[in-house]
């Protein structure tokens, strides 16, 4: 069974939303700041989905395609 990712990266946001790489990085920084996280802390799919109101199951499926 393949390992499932639970963290989201800027490249994933680009693929999911069509935003530019720089816009995706800004969004991750904003989510970190609002969540009280440090600069290098990972953002989970759940945190991303709560912030963007995207469906967590759909995002997880898209990121973890096998």
């Amino acid at each position: 069974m393949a390992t499932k990712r639970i963290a989201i990266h800027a490249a994933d946001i680009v693929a999911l939303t069509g935003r530019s790489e720089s816009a995706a990085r800004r969004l991750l920084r904003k989510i970190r700041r609002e969540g009280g996280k440090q600069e290098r802390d990972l953002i989970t799919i759940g945190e991303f989905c709560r912030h963007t109101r995207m469906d967590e199951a759909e995002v997880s499926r898209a990121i973890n395609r096998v």
Side-chain angles (χ1 to χ4, degrees), residues 2-48:
T3 303
K4 301 287 184 178
R5 284 185 34 213
I6 60 170
I8 194 161
H9 303 282
D12 300 323
I13 296 171
V14 169
L16 288 167
T17 65
R19 290 180 180 214
S20 68
E21 180 86 17
S22 59
R25 290 182 186 281
R26 279 193 307 272
L27 177 59
L28 287 174
R29 276 195 301 271
K30 182 178 180 181
I31 295 169
R32 278 189 195 97
R33 188 173 47 248
E34 289 177 2
K37 291 190 166 212
Q38 298 294 315
E39 182 179 335
R40 296 287 179 182
D41 290 348
L42 295 174
I43 300 299
T44 66
I45 294 171
E47 290 169 327
F48 170 77

Side-chain angles (χ1 to χ4, degrees), residues 37-63:
K37 291 190 166 212
Q38 298 294 315
E39 182 179 335
R40 296 287 179 182
D41 290 348
L42 295 174
I43 300 299
T44 66
I45 294 171
E47 290 169 327
F48 170 77
C49 290
R50 279 190 295 281
H51 183 82
T52 61
R53 296 185 180 154
M54 293 177 77
D55 182 76
E56 188 171 347
E58 281 187 49
V59 171
S60 185
R61 256 192 318 276
I63 290 174

